Amino acid sequence: MPFPYKTVLITGATSGIGLALAERMINSGVFVIAVGRRKDRLDALVKKHGSDKVAAEPFDISDLSALPNWVKHITTTYPTLDSILLNAGLQKTLLFTNPTTIDLAAHTTELTTNYLSPLNMIALFMPHLISLAPNPTSIIVVTSGLSVIPLPRCANYSASKAAAHSLVWSLRAQLTGPEAEHTKHIKVVEIMPPAVKTELHTIQPDLVEMGLGDIGMELNEFADFTWGELQNEEREEVWVDQQRGWKEVDGKRREVFEGSVKAFREMGLKF
């Protein structure tokens, strides 16, 4: 099944997974709105592929107060926008055993980038996506395998991704429920990467010092697999084979979740 969306906004599109998926979409004829803080990298992407295939939108998605006006600008400038891919993320080391190293401001930004910003963007883009019915639209959220099994070294990152993972489940349940005829054209997809060789790791001094700055799956291998999965009409979650055990654990949790959703609805609870 071909990827049905024609105009996709991608956050964190200046490097790593976001850039890799942006280039695969561009090469497949999708118009990409590339979002990131580093204007020079966005401009280079436009120069490489052409302004008829990609647009650069420099923006800091952690600036929550600026998001409403920015979203209005995006939907006005690109009225055909039919998919948002929320990929931008930060990962910081958090060691409670060494409290003097804890930078609470940095971890607040980490939480904002990984969870509060996607929450805000989903809410703010929702009226636009609803307005495109009955044409297919989508919300694609990049979380992490660490949303299911946390890594103690990056406790706040794991917790923020767990929050986003939980949000995605509830969002999907709401948009496909009996009260939601006006939103059933909005597909919700979650990408749950393992460790992937990106700047997420190489910019962390402690990982580099331990010789672990280059850990993970090769970026191109992951991006090729993920792009293939995104073209599968039935796919709601993207996991790689190496995460099979974590997927099984999460699958059991999802069965319980879906059973509880059904039970609450049978009790008359509306959502």
Side-chain angles (χ1 to χ4, degrees), residues 27 36 91 105 114 135 138 166 168 182 191 233:
N27 291 334
Q91 186 182 101
N114 295 349
N135 297 318
S138 68
S166 176
V168 166
H182 62 303
I191 301 172
E233 185 181 16

Side-chain angles (χ1 to χ4, degrees), residues 73-96:
H73 157 71
I74 292 294
T75 56
T76 301
T77 307
Y78 311 99
T80 60
L81 173 66
D82 52 3
S83 178
I84 57 174
L85 197 166
L86 307 181
N87 162 76
L90 289 177
Q91 186 182 101
K92 304 288 185 181
T93 299
L94 175 60
L95 298 177
F96 292 106

